[in-house]
């Protein structure tokens, strides 16, 4: 029976193996000999904390406040005189992340407004030259490493203070200055804070040059089509700067927002969960509150079910999740955000084995939910329990030996040539995610996947 089944299924699976390749974007993915090894820990980690923090936290209108309100550069720079976060405590940040079940952290070392939280003798707009006179990246790196979490920094090559970013042609010398700042600051970050595990670029690459798309086309200004990157003469020279970064930090993993080869793709926002992809490492980044990434007083924290749905949804599509908090100007992560993270951490303390160190599949996401696996164990994440509690999935070309609610009672099941039927115990049905653990007769080692009908 299983040989016929194996043959029919392998043809279907073959078709499904290649689908994700079509959706590549921006930077190519790295293919050097160490690439797979380099990304392994990151893939196992599955869940990280993003932190958007800087002088934009003071007005509390999000990290794009300068651009959205067109605040003149010299006026905006005055925020640095007010930047003295009296309750800043990087150890406290790390413990909030740890309590949330997060395995790595990524802090905005410098965002689009140009303010650097690290020391750069070549720039006048840094935390060292602010009212705080302090290198916050140094504390952050030490605390995150001490907590045993992956150490990540976000860096924006684009800087709104440079007219050359907006018009790299007519302001070429200034564009070159911007590029030199980029190379200098990457060198500062990569040389003075010890081992870094992640560099999270944003606003780099030709995608963003010339300010995201405004160009002069003969008769006037017009938005450059989204999929048409900048094509002028200016170049970020990412190969050189990122090449230098990789020399200084050989184990570092990079996202895909420069033109240089990346280690993983970044998808952005709740709506970007997207397709299953176990061919290219990827990460969904989103915010724990509605609205901006930077601090906004009273911003509404998203419900636990929504956030866990995204985390489980990403893992079931073979991706990571990077969840953002926006600390207050005094340095504290707003208690409602920390509390929500603690709730996620509690869920992960009970169900983490079905997320950490797993791969997406074998079943593709469907009306039922998603699945993850590790060795001989498959976890069916029932996000939407069928009314009659009878879950029917296409069978697997491997025998299922046992089914049980994770840390709970046995689940009745029947496997045929076509289907695997699971009878969910009503008592175990969880409104957010009922995790069913299946023990297989052999490890699921293939990256092939099984399609599930979308009801
Ligand atoms: C968006 C926001 C930017 C933020 C980034 C994080 O692009 O505009 O401010 O840093 O997302 O992914």
């Amino acid at each position: 029976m299983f040989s016929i089944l194996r043959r029919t299924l392998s043809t279907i699976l073959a078709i499904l193996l290649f689908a994700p390749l079509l959706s590549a974007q921006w930077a190519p993915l790295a293919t050097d000999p160490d690439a797979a090894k380099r990304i392994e820990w990151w893939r196992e980690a599955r869940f990280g904390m993003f932190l958007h923090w800087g002088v934009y936290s003071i007005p509390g209108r999000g990290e794009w406040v300068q651009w959205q309100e067109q605040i003149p550069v010299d006026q905006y720079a005055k925020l640095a005189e007010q930047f003295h976060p009296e309750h800043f405590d990087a150890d406290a940040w790390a413990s909030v992340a740890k309590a949330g079940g997060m395995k790595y952290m990524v802090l905005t070392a410098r965002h689009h407004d140009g303010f650097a939280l690290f020391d750069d003798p070549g720039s006048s707009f840094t935390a060292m030259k602010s009212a705080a006179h302090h290198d916050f990246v140094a504390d952050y790196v030490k605390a995150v490493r001490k907590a045993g979490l992956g150490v990540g920094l976000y860096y924006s090559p684009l800087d709104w203070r440079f007219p050359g970013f907006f018009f790299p042609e007519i302001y070429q010398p200034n564009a070159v200055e911007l590029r030199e700042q980029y190379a200098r600051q990457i060198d500062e970050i990569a040389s003075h804070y010890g081992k870094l595990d992640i560099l999270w670029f944003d606003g780099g690459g030709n995608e963003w040059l010339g300010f995201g798309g405004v160009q002069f086309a003969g008769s006037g200004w017009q938005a450059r089509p989204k999929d048409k990157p900048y094509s002028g003469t200016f170049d970020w020279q990412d190969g050189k700067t990122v090449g230098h970064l990789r020399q200084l930090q050989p184990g570092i993993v990079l996202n895909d927002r420069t033109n240089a080869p990346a280690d993983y793709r970044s998808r952005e926002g709740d709506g970007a969960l997207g397709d299953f992809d176990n061919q290219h490492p990827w990460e969904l980044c989103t915010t724990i509150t509605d609205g901006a990434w930077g601090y906004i007083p009273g911003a509404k924290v998203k419900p636990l079910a929504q956030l866990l749905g995204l985390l489980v949804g990403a893992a079931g599509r073979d991706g990571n999740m990077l969840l953002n908090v926006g600390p207050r100007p005094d340095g504290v992560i707003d208690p409602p955000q920390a509390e929500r993270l603690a709730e996620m951490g509690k869920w992960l303390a009970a169900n983490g084995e079905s997320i950490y160190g797993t791969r997406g599949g074998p079943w593709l996401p469907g009306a039922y939910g998603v699945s993850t696996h590790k060795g001989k164990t498959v976890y069916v994440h029932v996000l939407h329990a069928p009314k009659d509690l009878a879950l029917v999935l296409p069978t697997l070309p491997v025998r299922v030996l046992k089914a049980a609610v994770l840390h709970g009672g046995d689940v009745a099941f029947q496997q045929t040539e076509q289907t695997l039927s699971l009878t969910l115990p009503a008592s175990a049905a969880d409104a957010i995610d009922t995790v069913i653990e299946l023990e297989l007769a052999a490890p699921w080692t293939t990256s092939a996947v099984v399609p599930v009908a979308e009801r």
Side-chain angles (χ1 to χ4, degrees), residues 50 52 56 62-64 68 108 111-112 154 156 160 200-203 208 255 257 266-269 285-287 292-294 322 324:
F50 211 172
H52 276 66
Y56 49 76
E63 75 286 0
W64 274 63
Q68 274 150 358
T108 51
H111 205 268
H112 306 332
Y154 161 114
S156 161
W160 290 322
W200 211 98
F201 287 105
D202 186 33
W208 273 90
N255 72 340
R257 296 192 180 183
S266 50
R267 302 179 185 183
E268 184 178 300
C285 63
T286 193
T287 55
W293 304 71
L322 185 67
N324 182 75

Side-chain angles (χ1 to χ4, degrees), residues 67-105:
W67 182 256
Q68 274 150 358
E69 299 175 14
Q70 293 291 298
I71 304 170
V73 168
D74 53 353
Q75 189 188 325
Y76 185 85
K78 293 200 172 64
L79 287 172
E81 295 154 20
Q82 301 168 42
F83 192 66
H84 46 74
E86 63 275 25
H87 302 304
F88 169 76
D89 175 355
D91 291 317
W93 284 2
S95 50
V96 169
K98 236 180 162 165
M102 295 156 144
K103 302 295 185 185
Y104 57 96
M105 297 171 70

Side-chain angles (χ1 to χ4, degrees), residues 255-433:
N255 72 340
D256 63 347
R257 296 192 180 183
T258 73
N259 294 343
D263 296 294
Y264 63 92
R265 298 222 170 285
S266 50
R267 302 179 185 183
E268 184 178 300
D270 293 7
L273 204 43
D275 294 336
F276 182 98
D277 183 355
N278 63 1
Q279 304 297 309
H280 314 97
W282 63 274
E283 176 190 66
L284 175 78
C285 63
T286 193
T287 55
I288 196 168
T289 54
D290 295 340
W293 304 71
Y295 174 69
I296 296 186
K300 190 168 157 304
V301 177
K302 293 171 183 167
L304 178 63
Q306 181 180 346
L307 296 168
L308 284 176
L310 289 168
L311 173 63
V312 172
R317 290 166 175 77
D318 207 39
N320 283 28
M321 181 180 181
L322 185 67
L323 184 58
N324 182 75
V325 296
R328 300 188 319 217
D330 66 357
V332 173
I333 294 175
D334 221 17
Q337 298 181 27
E339 283 147 25
R340 179 70 79 235
L341 286 176
E343 291 168 356
M344 294 185 81
K346 198 156 154 275
W347 186 88
L348 281 162
N351 302 284
E353 68 180 84
S354 69
I355 301 289
Y356 305 125
T358 65
R359 298 299 302 266
W363 287 285
L364 281 178
Y368 74 99
V370 297
S371 65
T372 58
H373 68 274
K374 181 168 39 186
K376 286 184 179 177
T377 308
V378 169
Y379 301 95
V380 182
H381 293 267
V382 184
L383 301 173
H384 317 288
K387 288 203 182 44
D388 57 4
L389 298 176
L391 177 59
V392 182
L393 294 167
T395 195
L396 292 178
V398 186
R399 190 182 295 286
V400 174
L401 300 178
K402 189 173 181 310
V405 175
L406 187 57
H407 310 309
D410 282 353
V411 168
F413 73 96
Q414 195 194 17
Q415 185 174 19
T416 69
E417 287 187 359
Q418 282 72 38
T419 60
L420 173 71
S421 311
L422 299 162
T423 309
L424 308 178
S427 58
D430 180 286
I432 295 179
D433 181 5

